Structure formats: C-alpha cells, structure tokens
Amino acid sequence: MQWNEKLQIIIDYVEEHLQRKEEGIDRDEIERIAGCSYGFFQKVFSYMNDISFSEYVRLRKLTLAGYDLKSSDIKVVDLSYKYGYDSPTSFTKAFQQFHGVSPSEARKNGIKLKVYPKMRISVKQKYSWKIEHTKSLRLIGKSIKVSCDENVNKKIPEIWSNSQKDGTFHKLVLSDTADNRGMFGVMGGYDKEKNEMEYSIMVISDRELPEGFRELIVPEASWAVFDLRGASPKSIQEGWKYLNEEWILDYPFKHADCPEFEWYSHGNVFDEDYLSQIWIPIIEEE
C-alpha cells in the first residue's frame, strides 16, 4: 500500500473518531495502519503535508468545535473536554487564537469562523463561514432545467457562458440593485424521479421585470455562508465538494425549505483572489 493510501485511511480514521465516536486517537491503531512506529509516521506525515500530524488534529478539533458552537447550545466546559483540553481556559485560548474570537463571541450572528477542512491529499484549501440572516429577497433572472448527473459541473459553466452570449448577463448587471452587487446561481426545484433541478442566474433587484425574465421571492431566512477564494468555476466546484463530503453530511443544521445559492462577486473571475460564496439555507434551533 502506497503512503498516499495509508495517509488517507489514517485521515479517515481521525475523522471517524473526532466526529462520530468522539474518542481519542489511538497511537497503536495509527502504527498498525501505517506499518511503522508512531514517531516515523509523524515524520512522514509532516514531510508530505507541510504540517505536523498533531497540528492537523488540533486544527480539525477547533474547526469541529466551531461547528458545535454554531449548531448547538453545548456549554464551553463540555466542549473543552469533548475535544481533549485540560480546562475551559486552555480551550478558550486555543479557540480564540484559531478563530480570532472567543467561544462566547462565536455564537453571535454574523461572526465568521475559520475552517480547516478534512485533508484530501491532492487538495489543500481553507474556508471561512458565518451565519447570516436576510430579509425577504426579490430575485430576477432566467432559469433552465439541468440534469443532476456526473456532467453537471460542465453544464452549469456552459449556462453562464450562454448567458453572456445571448445578452442575459448584461441585462442582469444593469438590473442589479443590491447593496453588495453580484450574481446568484440559484438551485432549486429538485425532481428526484427525473434526477434534475432548476438552475437560475439572478440578481437582487427592485426594478421592473425585463421581458423573458422571471421573479423569485425568497422569504426571510438564515444561511450558512461560505467564502471561497480562487478562480471560478474551480473554486466553487471544490467548495461544493468540501460541503458535500464533510459539512452537509456531518454538521447539521436542518436544511430550510429554500433554494441553495451560489454568489459571484463583480470582478475578474480568473483572479486567484476572486471571491465567490455558497449559501446553504438553515433552520436554527432555539
């Protein structure tokens, strides 16, 4: 078995114990999987990933602790022991150093928390996220049915390309009246039997509906908003991959009855610092 395969199995083992079993990491099990001493494994891990194994585990714990604070009413003292800290004080210090805010501040609306994603050997990207509340939104634009098959990542960029060719994109830019202007990719209308969804390109607007456009009224809602940095569409595709593999499955606010959004800022979409976002509608439990 190659080292890449061993490392991925060990990473999966870490996630299983931190997220599901809520148990400590067993060094003997790491040695069994790696087929070497724990000390040698640590050296190989650091060499291949530019981060020590202990630091990776620490950052994952602090990421998961942030999820817990946002999605539950767990006490800080219980959270500190859950993730293996000796005291709430040491946990609070580590949490603030990583996220930039204290555990109590993290629960406030609009506060962004850092994310150190589960490691995938070939992809290394960090995300930040926050919970955002919006009043009712009026979106206008055009929609198309899209098959949710393995080619969906190719089809959606084609929709955007076609919108520029037929003038839709330009009309939307002129109709955008949002304070923070940008384009939305709206995903909704899922049909399980046909395995398809409705994908819309839209903007927030209070202007008259142009001919051929449709209107979507989004009720007041709460969202988990993830910032993505990098050239589009690669950054948005990798963001969805991360969410589908980790966040949506394991952390779990309940999904609100509302479409999911992609948001694209104005600017050069090919820039390595280009900002896009994924908005997941959530139900916050009181």
Side-chain angles (χ1 to χ4, degrees), residues 188-246:
Y190 291 96
D191 187 324
K192 291 184 178 180
E193 291 186 2
K194 295 182 179 180
N195 191 33
E196 65 179 20
M197 67 175 179
E198 187 173 68
Y199 188 86
S200 307
I201 300 179
M202 302 185 127
V203 295
I204 295 174
S205 181
D206 57 13
R207 295 181 179 170
E208 185 176 345
L209 193 67
E211 184 177 354
F213 280 35
R214 64 174 287 244
E215 176 184 80
L216 175 66
I217 304 299
V218 181
E220 183 175 348
S222 295
W223 312 82
V225 180
F226 291 80
D227 286 352
L228 312 172
R229 290 285 181 179
S232 183
K234 183 179 178 181
S235 62
I236 206 86
Q237 292 171 351
E238 290 182 351
W240 277 116
K241 182 176 177 63
Y242 156 69
L243 289 173
N244 287 322
E245 288 184 351
E246 178 181 326

Side-chain angles (χ1 to χ4, degrees), residues 1 5 31 63 79 100 124 141 158 164 223 228 237 266:
M1 186 185 298
E5 296 175 87
E31 290 182 345
T63 295
L79 199 57
K124 298 179 182 178
E158 288 176 359
Q164 293 179 325
W223 312 82
L228 312 172
Q237 292 171 351
H266 284 300

Side-chain angles (χ1 to χ4, degrees), residues 156-172:
I156 289 179
E158 288 176 359
I159 295 172
W160 284 90
S161 178
N162 291 336
S163 76
Q164 293 179 325
K165 294 176 183 177
D166 65 18
T168 298
F169 189 91
H170 180 65
K171 289 181 181 179
L172 286 171

Side-chain angles (χ1 to χ4, degrees), residues 106-171:
R107 283 194 160 119
K108 295 179 181 178
N109 294 335
I111 296 296
K112 287 186 178 182
L113 297 182
K114 289 184 179 179
V115 170
Y116 195 94
K118 173 184 174 181
M119 187 178 288
R120 297 197 301 276
I121 301 304
S122 61
V123 178
K124 298 179 182 178
Q125 184 173 7
K126 296 182 180 179
Y127 304 96
S128 63
W129 68 293
K130 65 179 179 179
I131 293 178
E132 189 167 304
H133 303 279
T134 58
K135 295 182 179 179
S136 179
L137 302 174
R138 177 183 182 261
L139 301 178
I140 66 171
K142 287 189 175 182
S143 305
I144 189 170
K145 293 289 186 180
V146 179
S147 175
C148 301
D149 57 24
E150 59 185 12
N151 293 317
V152 68
N153 282 340
K154 293 182 180 179
K155 293 176 182 176
I156 289 179
E158 288 176 359
I159 295 172
W160 284 90
S161 178
N162 291 336
S163 76
Q164 293 179 325
K165 294 176 183 177
D166 65 18
T168 298
F169 189 91
H170 180 65
K171 289 181 181 179

Side-chain angles (χ1 to χ4, degrees), residues 12-25:
D12 292 341
Y13 165 82
V14 169
E15 295 298 316
E16 175 73 10
H17 278 66
L18 290 182
Q19 294 192 56
R20 295 176 179 83
K21 295 184 177 180
E22 298 181 8
E23 298 175 350
I25 306 303

